[in-house]
Amino acid sequence: MADHHVADVLLLLPLAQLYTYSIPERLRGKVRRGVQVDCPVRTRRAHGLVLKVRPPSPADPPLVDVAEVVTTRPPWPEDLLELLDFVSTYYVARIGQVARAAMPSLFARRSPKPEAWVRIATRPDKLPRSPKDVLVLEAVEAAGRLELPAARVLVPGGADVVKRLLARGFLAIEEEEATPAPAPAAAAPVVVRPEPTTDQAAVLAQIGGAIGNGYKAFLLHGVTGSGKTEVYFRAIEQVVAAGRGAIVLVPEIALTVELRRHIEARFGGIVAVLHSAMAQGQRAAAWDAALAGRMRIVVGPRSAVFAPVRDLGLVVVDEEHETTYKQEEGLRYNARDVAMVRAKMAGCPVVLGSATPSLETFQNAHAGKVTYLSMPHRVRERPMPEVRFVDLRYEPPVGAERLFSRPLLDALSATIGRGESAILFINRRGFGRFVVCSACGAPISCPNCSITLTHHVKPDRLACHYCDHQVPVPERCPGCGSSEVAIYGFGTERVEDEVGRLVRGVRCARLDADTASAGGIDAILAGFRRGDSNVLVGTQIVAKGHDFPMVTLVGVLLAEQSLAFPDFRAAERTFQLLTQVAGRAGRGETPGQVVIQTFEPGQYALRFAAAHDFLGFAVVENRIRRERGYPPHSHLAAIEVSSPDPAEASRAADEVRDYLDQFLTLEGAGTRGGPAAASAILGPALAAIERIKGRTRMQVLVKTRRRAALNRALWRLYKLVGPGRGRTRIRIDVDPVSLL
Ligand code: ADP
Ligand code: ZN
Ligand code: ZN
């Protein structure tokens, strides 16, 4: 088109701004959407991505010419560009912010400083001084080498530990060359592929039939150990044989060592695995290899959904229910949802796999938007573990800390005595406390929102952080009148200390967000696998896909810790966590048992988890969500308003609330009309974590049945208030997952 000689260009600079350039005669036809160009920026030059080529408009400022087309990088795939547009609109974010989240290393400093790594030095003739030293050394050894910043956060006070280890000659620094050599394209080694089970064959027939035939979404619901990975692999083989590519999303690459090993063995030189310990340079190299079509398969955590895989033929989301798919900072997108859109834009199938699918995906399957596939049996006929409840109302906890009941202690002693291992599961980190009645077992919850009230000190009270309902801490249970009400909430450290005091022969290791990080996890898990420790105390992290054949007992300290979580998804999370953690028991030849301590053994999430009955749980939970107007039967957005000054935060939050109310009314989705109203606005309320880094956090929550109207109202709000003014910050979270 002759008059199309203006280009909108996204500059690949840290600010990721959109600039407009004119296209000189000699470059017309070459500067196209998706191509990278070299452009003058003030006195320098910078690379940019062409997003649009169009006729000039009177609104354009005086323009300078694009300098050159970059020919070393092929154009970005059109489905990826469309995805960036979609994500920008849907999540109410500027395109630059989206692109930066999609490919951070392309927007990094222009001439990156060589990155520093630590590796094991020739070991001097002395021993490391502390357990922390040992942990760090093991982590570095396991990883081969670690980026310096990653090494510094392996353990609390890690920066000092690393400094000491460097000074004493245990560790050495090495600097990365500016352009890392790409991985050699090794020929795929020959591997033995297991013959598919009946379940696998049936599922593969359906997925295989969809490959090459446009967009189609599948929910692969397979119990733990049913062999979902082999299904993904065979589907990928078919895609690769047809000359196309695949994206495999995993919740957290550091936790999927096994998968990494298997996929590399199976697909050799055409797979790029992205993980958290990778340097920017390596990531950029992987990105380029995918863009050039050298890497046909990209495996990685959420940002891999934006990988520039060419001729995309399949997208896989493993453990689709995982909350780690939601990015909670910067661009707050959900990679599971974005993966479905990516597949739609590429015109290929997407497979969402899980043993405990999210209610959102379950509802999509129910509504026919997603095809439900099921693998109800474990490979090799291993039985599901036996689940037993300890009712804390009748078996009160003993010991100084009152964490363990007699039956759980007995089970632990017996397990250790047989030389087997146990996992003790704390189903959340030790912050946020709540009140439970030890007579009737009920946690105290908000009458408006049916979420558990959180205990706050100063002043001593219980508060709902959805609607701001507040009550004093009651002396008697509002349900049964008993005076046996107590405040609960504890963390891993107390459990680790106490189990060592109460059970003979325990060698305890602890795995939680403090001790975990790329190398930390590997080192701790390797120690547990070797038998250095025989009890592993941990949070969510221990629940994920590990295979520990020697674990025959899983103890859950207090089911209420996740059940009473102040979140409308608390029951769903509890069901998922208990199912996952139970899946860790009895993976070897000896059958496993699960012991769950709780005040409320009759609670439906607990009962269905014990019976390994996902569909039963989903049907009940789905009905409750519909009754209460929560997703998947409504759409949510959370607006977080924060400021160092509490009064300012509160004032700004009120303003946000009023604007939203009016914008929703303008869009015909207002809050008036009582229960029949299209939308409801909750709050402003103090967030459950009321202050972070000296800022007071308020939250406004919007619930609506009209997603498009909400999206337009949020854009009006964003254009009006932006990211906040002065010291006030405003963050829009569409389809929020964590509401803390
Ligand atoms: P899931 O992800 O569904 O929990 P995995 O994919 O981890 O299950 O598979 C569980 C185990 O079964 C793995 O050790 C895997 O190698 C093995 N496996 C998978 N498919 C087969 C098969 N068809 N025949 C034999 N073993 C299999
Ligand atoms: Zn009671
Ligand atoms: Zn409430």
Side-chain angles (χ1 to χ4, degrees):
M1 278 157 278
D3 58 341
H4 281 47
H5 46 71
V6 167
D8 291 322
V9 175
L10 181 69
L11 293 180
L12 302 181
L13 293 174
L15 272 178
Q17 277 155 321
L18 211 51
Y19 269 58
T20 302
Y21 290 90
S22 45
I23 306 172
E25 217 35 85
R26 67 187 168 87
L27 294 180
R28 300 223 173 127
K30 287 187 186 151
V31 176
R32 283 173 290 124
R33 174 168 155 89
V35 157
Q36 287 191 35
V37 287
D38 197 14
C39 302
V41 181
R42 284 183 214 97
T43 57
R44 297 182 300 143
R45 297 263 282 260
H47 280 195
L49 172 67
V50 178
L51 288 180
K52 199 171 180 185
V53 174
R54 58 171 173 87
S57 128
D60 288 333
L63 300 178
V64 291
D65 279 353
V66 168
E68 209 45 74
V69 171
V70 177
T71 49
T72 48
R73 277 220 180 100
W76 292 31
E78 179 58 29
D79 62 304
L80 178 55
L81 296 173
E82 280 173 30
L83 189 73
L84 299 184
D85 283 335
F86 170 87
V87 168
S88 159
T89 306
Y90 186 86
Y91 290 105
V92 194
R94 286 175 301 106
I95 189 85
Q97 199 191 347
V98 177
R100 221 172 34 207
M103 196 48 227
S105 54
L106 284 191
F107 292 86
R109 296 174 306 261
R110 248 168 74 87
S111 50
K113 241 176 48 194
E115 282 163 75
W117 298 72
V118 288
R119 59 175 173 76
I120 301 286
T122 12
R123 242 183 232 184
D125 216 10
K126 49 195 168 186
L127 290 170
R129 206 176 281 167
S130 75
K132 281 185 185 173
D133 292 9
V134 176
L135 273 178
V136 170
L137 288 173
E138 283 187 359
V140 174
E141 190 157 6
R145 57 174 197 169
L146 265 184
E147 263 184 285
L148 190 54
R152 285 185 175 134
V153 296
L154 286 171
V155 294
D160 288 336
V161 176
V162 169
K163 205 160 128 192
R164 182 166 69 233
L165 291 172
L166 284 168
R168 301 184 67 217
F170 284 99
L171 289 178
I173 292 265
E174 87 187 18
E175 293 200 336
E176 199 190 12
E177 327 82 85
T179 47
V190 184
V191 288
V192 185
R193 298 145 76 242
E195 207 43 46
T197 62
T198 323
D199 279 357
Q200 286 170 332
V203 156
L204 273 166
Q206 295 235 32
I207 299 173
I211 289 171
N213 287 315
Y215 172 75
K216 187 164 176 141
F218 293 99
L219 163 57
L220 175 56
H221 174 215
V223 297
T224 50
S226 58
K228 292 184 285 294
T229 315
E230 184 60 26
V231 171
Y232 307 149
F233 282 11
R234 293 222 171 209
I236 295 171
E237 281 174 358
Q238 189 183 334
V239 166
V240 170
R244 311 187 72 175
I247 292 177
V248 180
L249 296 186
V250 292
E252 162 80 77
I253 197 78
L255 294 177
T256 45
V257 189
E258 291 287 284
L259 179 92
R260 234 192 284 172
R261 209 160 45 81
H262 286 134
I263 203 160
E264 275 169 347
R266 189 88 156 240
F267 298 99
I270 57 164
V271 49
V273 180
L274 306 173
H275 56 87
S276 42
M278 265 169 104
Q280 298 273 18
Q282 282 181 310
R283 270 172 201 269
W287 165 273
D288 272 334
L291 189 62
R294 269 179 287 133
M295 297 296 183
R296 314 221 42 104
I297 306 165
V298 172
V299 183
R302 55 189 175 240
S303 68
V305 75
F306 296 111
V309 172
R310 310 204 78 88
D311 306 314
L312 193 58
L314 178 70
V315 181
V316 172
V317 184
D318 190 27
E319 309 288 354
E320 66 88 25
H321 65 279
E322 282 289 344
T323 54
T324 42
Y325 282 124
K326 181 72 193 318
Q327 169 122 332
E328 297 290 2
E329 268 164 18
L331 180 69
R332 298 189 171 189
Y333 66 99
N334 188 323
R336 188 260 327 271
D337 300 340
V338 175
M340 294 178 74
V341 179
R342 176 86 194 255
K344 206 173 268 177
M345 291 181 164
C348 74
V350 53
V351 177
L352 309 176
S354 176
T356 54
S358 63
L359 259 276
E360 282 78 2
T361 301
F362 171 78
Q363 173 61 23
N364 276 336
H366 194 67
K369 289 187 208 159
V370 168
T371 302
Y372 178 77
L373 304 173
S374 155
M375 298 206 293
H377 309 104
R378 281 186 158 183
V379 173
R380 291 191 217 102
E381 322 267 300
R382 293 232 163 93
M384 300 302 277
E386 178 212 338
V387 179
R388 188 148 66 90
F389 290 109
V390 174
D391 190 335
L392 292 176
R393 291 171 300 181
Y394 306 112
E395 298 276 3
V398 297
E401 297 272 0
R402 311 206 139 261
L403 298 173
F404 290 92
S405 66
R406 248 320 17 124
L408 179 54
L409 288 175
D410 292 345
L412 264 172
S413 303
T415 302
I416 305 289
R418 285 193 303 269
E420 296 163 2
S421 300
I423 289 178
L424 290 176
F425 181 54
I426 289 96
N427 36 348
R428 76 155 146 167
R429 293 192 65 194
F431 86 93
R433 293 152 67 84
F434 51 93
V435 173
V436 175
C437 167
S438 1
C440 72
I444 298 180
S445 51
C446 173
N448 310 322
C449 310
S450 49
I451 63 161
T452 305
L453 297 177
T454 306
H455 180 235
H456 292 254
V457 283
K458 289 197 290 180
D460 197 28
R461 69 201 194 280
L462 299 179
C464 169
H465 71 102
Y466 284 13
C467 76
D468 212 28
H469 175 77
Q470 304 209 3
V471 291
V473 179
E475 282 173 12
R476 295 187 166 277
C477 167
C480 75
S482 157
S483 59
E484 308 260 302
V485 289
I487 298 172
Y488 282 91
F490 53 84
T492 45
E493 272 170 86
R494 274 174 62 197
V495 174
E496 184 187 15
D497 292 347
E498 181 82 341
V499 72
R501 277 195 292 270
L502 293 179
V503 184
R504 200 178 294 238
V506 162
R507 294 185 308 281
C508 203
R510 175 161 68 92
L511 184 58
D512 57 25
D514 294 333
T515 58
S517 71
I521 290 177
D522 288 351
I524 293 166
L525 294 181
F528 186 52
R529 208 179 285 278
R530 275 197 307 268
D532 298 353
S533 47
N534 54 12
V535 173
L536 181 62
V537 174
T539 51
Q540 269 79 313
I541 306 169
V542 304
K544 312 246 163 101
H546 312 293
D547 213 349
F548 297 120
M550 67 296 178
V551 171
T552 55
L553 172 67
V554 171
V556 178
L557 266 287
L558 182 61
E560 275 76 4
Q561 292 226 85
S562 62
L563 213 46
F565 207 56
D567 184 335
F568 71 90
R569 290 191 179 94
E572 182 182 2
R573 292 277 169 270
T574 303
F575 179 85
Q576 290 165 350
L577 284 170
L578 293 182
T579 305
Q580 296 285 340
V581 81
R584 295 315 112 218
R587 310 264 302 184
E589 297 307 323
T590 334
Q593 60 166 329
V594 180
V595 176
I596 301 175
Q597 302 192 133
T598 175
F599 287 102
E600 219 184 349
Q603 207 280 350
Y604 67 99
L606 304 187
R607 272 193 295 123
F608 283 119
H612 310 288
D613 182 1
F614 167 75
L615 288 177
F617 170 76
V619 166
V620 171
E621 178 69 10
N622 204 32
R623 210 194 74 221
I624 294 173
R625 296 281 182 87
R626 190 182 305 117
E627 275 168 11
R628 295 181 185 159
Y630 282 124
H633 300 282
S634 70
H635 307 285
L636 282 191
I639 296 92
E640 179 195 312
V641 182
S642 70
S643 165
D645 174 7
E648 207 174 286
S650 178
R651 208 167 35 241
D654 284 340
E655 215 176 287
V656 162
R657 197 217 119 86
D658 289 344
Y659 281 135
L660 268 177
D661 199 8
Q662 295 185 42
F663 291 151
L664 284 165
T665 306
L666 266 178
E667 296 294 341
T671 55
R672 249 149 278 164
S679 309
I681 302 183
L682 306 181
L686 213 46
I689 308 173
E690 33 187 306
R691 278 177 86 78
I692 293 182
K693 292 183 188 148
R695 308 178 67 87
T696 296
R697 303 165 68 235
M698 305 288 297
Q699 185 170 283
V700 176
L701 202 57
V702 190
K703 258 198 224 182
T704 185
R705 288 199 291 269
R706 307 262 313 275
R707 179 152 67 196
L710 173 61
N711 181 259
R712 288 191 297 267
L714 289 173
W715 268 108
R716 284 179 189 269
L717 180 74
Y718 182 69
K719 287 190 171 146
L720 188 68
V721 301
R725 266 186 300 264
R727 294 186 301 170
T728 309
R729 257 192 241 148
I730 298 176
R731 298 273 179 276
I732 296 174
D733 191 351
V734 177
D735 304 332
V737 167
S738 162
L739 288 166
L740 295 177

